[in-house]
């Protein structure tokens, strides 16, 4: 166990600029670090993070979400365990897989992507981040829920404040206050809509949640509000960064971009490799239920554990040439990359595996396909080098591109 004397602090500007060299040192020399500012134990090796997520011995809990997530969302499915978690997951999961996803929401995804692309396809230039990626998933979620997309700016403001709260590792008081305000503002916005929807059920996701029942259990207004808040933040932020990252990674590897352009069936492989190589979420926390032995020492019971997904996904003991982006790698299984059997850690694993993984996959596949159709000679703007930013979540902040204008 170490107190991180040999690596940059995770709150430092050096780490934020490029965490990957620090991750390598952590994995090799300091796989277990006590981090005083966040009062947490940091783990960085694939085998340790995978063990925490799969948690076959009930050694880890999500009790940390009581203070990390509940202040901004209310109580969510992420905090639940046992039968309570199983029932809540059964209530919400059907909307994100199978016929509901295929029949109800794929057209919503396709339409929202096309509308955004139509706004710039004739211009010959765009910023993939600001013109598309930050808007697309939020618009999709609003449409799925049957909310007014004219409120996009409010949705984006709320989820930005929530993500800032979750990543507020330094404890900035203003960031904390802004995040907590979103819970009040979002409740004031959503609760009247939920109550009205209960009386006027439609074909949207919000109606599905209002009507869902499992073993005699239905979701309360507060349950639905909290889930919608979580969906907006988690689905908006992660898909936003995933789309920007997959395009950036392909642009930086022209041979692989050409391969994807020629064979669109490679898009899932490119997405899976992006989730491994540059995951949208770089760290997830858990709490120990008992003393736990991991690489480098023992984590005591009741401690917060910071699991470094961004490091684990580049562990050389698990992946060949882990610091290379390679959509053709044979040590990452694309067919299971969007399920609880995934062999990357970007969606977590086990009972808290991301419920929206298939929705994200659909958004990325449709979005990348339509972007490549509209921009067959897609290229970076002259002199621009994509730069990732962020510690808790991470991705390109801008991605200006050029292309030959096309008509709809």
């Amino acid at each position: 166990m170490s107190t991180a004397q040999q690596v940059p602090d995770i709150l430092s500007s050096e780490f934020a600029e490029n965490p990957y060299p620090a991750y390598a040192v952590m994995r090799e020399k300091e796989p277990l670090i006590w981090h005083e500012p966040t009062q947490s134990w940091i783990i960085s090796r694939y085998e340790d993070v995978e063990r925490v997520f799969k948690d076959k011995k009930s050694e880890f809990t999500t009790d940390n979400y009581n203070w990390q997530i509940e202040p901004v969302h209310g109580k969510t499915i992420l905090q639940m365990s046992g039968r309570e978690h199983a029932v809540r997951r059964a209530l919400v999961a059907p909307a994100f897989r199978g016929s509901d996803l295929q029949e109800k929401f794929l057209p919503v995804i396709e339409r929202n992507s096309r509308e955004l692309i139509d706004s710039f396809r004739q211009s010959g230039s765009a910023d993939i981040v600001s013109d598309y990626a930050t808007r697309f998933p939020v618009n999709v979620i609003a449409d799925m829920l049957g909310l007014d997309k004219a409120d996009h700016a409010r949705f984006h403001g709320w989820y930005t404040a929530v993500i800032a709260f979750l990543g507020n590792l330094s404890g900035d008081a203003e960031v904390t206050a802004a995040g907590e305000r979103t819970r009040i503002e979002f409740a004031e916005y959503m609760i009247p809509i939920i109550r009205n929807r209960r009386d006027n059920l439609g074909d949207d996701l919000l109606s599905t949640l209002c009507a869902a029942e499992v073993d005699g259990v239905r979701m309360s207004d507060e349950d639905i509000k909290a889930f919608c808040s979580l969906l907006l933040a988690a689905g908006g932020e992660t898909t936003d960064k995933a789309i920007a990252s997959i395009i950036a990674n392909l642009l930086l590897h022209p041979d692989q971009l050409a391969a994807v352009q020629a064979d669109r069936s490679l898009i899932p492989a490119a997405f899976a490799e992006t989730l491994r190589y540059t995951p949208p979420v770089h760290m997830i926390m858990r709490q120990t239920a008992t003393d736990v032995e991991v690489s480098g020492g023992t984590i005591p019971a009741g401690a917060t554990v910071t699991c470094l997904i961004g490091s684990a996904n580049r562990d050389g003991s698990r992946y060949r040439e882990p610091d290379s982006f390679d959509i053709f790698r044979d040590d990452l299984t694309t067919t299971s990359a969007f399920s609880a059997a995934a062999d990357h850690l970007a969606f977590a694993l086990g009972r808290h595996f991301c419920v929206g993984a298939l929705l994200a996959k659909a958004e990325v596949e449709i979005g990348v396909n339509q972007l490549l159709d509209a921009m067959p000679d897609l290229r970076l703007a002259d002199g621009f080098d994509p730069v990732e930013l962020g510690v808790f979540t991470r991705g390109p902040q801008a991605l200006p591109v050029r292309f030959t204008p096309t008509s709809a």
Side-chain angles (χ1 to χ4, degrees):
M1 186 272 290
S2 168
T3 54
Q5 298 301 309
Q6 301 182 52
V7 296
D9 185 86
I10 63 172
L11 301 182
S12 69
S13 58
E14 179 185 356
F15 183 88
E17 183 177 344
N18 183 7
Y20 299 107
Y23 288 157
V25 175
M26 289 179 184
R27 290 191 304 269
E28 180 182 355
K29 298 181 178 179
E30 303 185 77
L32 179 63
I33 294 172
W34 167 250
H35 188 245
E36 186 72 25
T38 59
Q39 292 289 292
S40 72
W41 298 83
I42 299 174
I43 59 174
S44 51
R45 290 181 177 173
Y46 184 97
E47 63 176 352
D48 291 325
V49 177
E50 178 190 39
R51 174 185 170 189
V52 172
F53 288 165
K54 288 187 173 179
D55 189 27
K56 296 179 178 178
K57 299 180 180 179
S58 298
E59 297 172 312
F60 300 91
T61 74
T62 55
D63 289 350
N64 54 289
Y65 288 148
N66 295 346
W67 53 265
Q68 192 180 19
I69 283 182
E70 189 167 344
V72 288
H73 291 311
K75 188 174 182 180
T76 71
I77 190 172
L78 296 178
Q79 298 165 255
M80 301 174 187
S81 59
R83 184 177 182 276
E84 183 183 29
H85 176 267
V87 170
R88 287 300 187 281
R89 194 171 181 97
L91 285 166
V92 302
F96 296 94
R97 62 179 186 230
S99 61
D100 270 11
L101 179 59
Q102 291 292 324
E103 297 170 11
K104 286 186 181 180
F105 301 130
L106 286 190
V108 171
I109 296 170
E110 291 169 349
R111 181 179 67 252
N112 277 283
S113 176
R114 186 172 58 252
E115 288 173 353
L116 286 172
I117 293 171
D118 282 349
S119 70
F120 59 73
R121 69 165 69 237
Q122 294 181 327
S123 68
S125 66
D127 185 324
I128 296 296
V129 174
S130 61
D131 293 331
Y132 185 83
T134 59
R135 302 180 64 81
F136 176 41
V138 179
N139 286 356
V140 168
I141 291 168
D143 248 7
M144 287 175 63
L145 291 169
L147 303 178
D148 187 350
K149 284 194 298 183
D151 290 325
H152 174 277
R154 298 177 72 185
F155 300 146
H156 190 269
W158 283 327
Y159 95 65
T160 300
V162 166
I163 294 300
F165 180 95
L166 299 181
N168 187 23
L169 303 178
S170 62
D172 185 294
E174 290 186 8
V175 173
T176 298
E180 291 173 344
R181 280 197 302 272
T182 65
R183 178 174 176 174
I184 299 170
E185 292 172 3
F186 191 69
E188 291 174 345
Y189 177 87
M190 279 301 302
I191 294 297
I193 294 174
I194 292 168
R195 290 173 178 167
N196 179 269
R197 201 65 54 89
R198 286 193 188 279
D199 296 330
N200 301 278
L201 294 177
D203 200 32
D204 53 76
L205 175 58
L206 188 56
S207 295
T208 300
L209 297 175
C210 288
E213 183 173 338
V214 172
D215 294 341
V217 176
R218 300 182 70 175
M219 297 175 75
S220 68
D221 293 351
E222 175 63 25
D223 289 337
I224 295 172
K225 184 273 299 179
F227 180 76
C228 291
S229 178
L230 179 66
L231 177 62
L232 190 64
E237 174 78 358
T238 57
T239 307
D240 163 357
K241 286 182 164 48
I243 291 172
S245 292
I246 189 174
I247 297 296
N249 288 335
L250 290 173
L251 285 167
L252 292 170
H253 299 82
D255 57 330
Q256 297 183 60
L257 173 59
V260 171
Q261 287 172 320
D263 180 2
R264 302 298 177 81
S265 70
L266 291 173
I267 291 175
F271 184 27
E273 175 66 347
T274 291
L275 289 172
R276 183 202 68 81
Y277 182 68
T278 49
V281 178
H282 271 237
M283 56 185 71
I284 287 180
M285 293 180 177
R286 292 287 189 265
Q287 192 164 307
T288 50
T290 182
D291 291 357
V292 182
E293 292 285 336
V294 296
S295 301
T298 302
I299 304 175
T304 300
V305 184
T306 298
C307 304
L308 295 181
I309 294 171
S311 172
N313 274 353
R314 292 205 185 190
D315 192 328
S317 69
R318 176 61 184 81
Y319 300 106
R320 169 186 49 79
E321 298 183 13
D323 293 318
S324 296
F325 179 79
D326 180 7
I327 66 174
F328 299 105
R329 65 171 55 251
D330 57 11
D331 50 8
L332 186 66
T333 311
T334 303
T335 53
S336 61
F338 312 99
S339 73
D343 45 19
H344 64 82
L345 304 174
F347 286 135
L349 295 170
R351 64 182 178 274
H352 287 290
F353 176 80
C354 176
V355 71
L358 290 178
L359 173 63
K361 178 176 182 285
E363 289 179 306
V364 169
E365 286 187 2
I366 290 170
V368 172
N369 258 306
Q370 291 192 359
L371 286 168
L372 294 181
D373 284 343
M375 300 180 286
D377 58 348
L378 176 68
R379 58 196 182 277
L380 282 168
D382 292 344
F384 184 80
D385 183 22
V387 176
E388 284 188 345
L389 290 178
V391 175
F392 179 73
T393 60
R394 188 172 178 84
Q397 298 302 293
L399 194 60
V401 297
R402 300 292 181 267
F403 54 92
T404 300
T406 60
S407 58

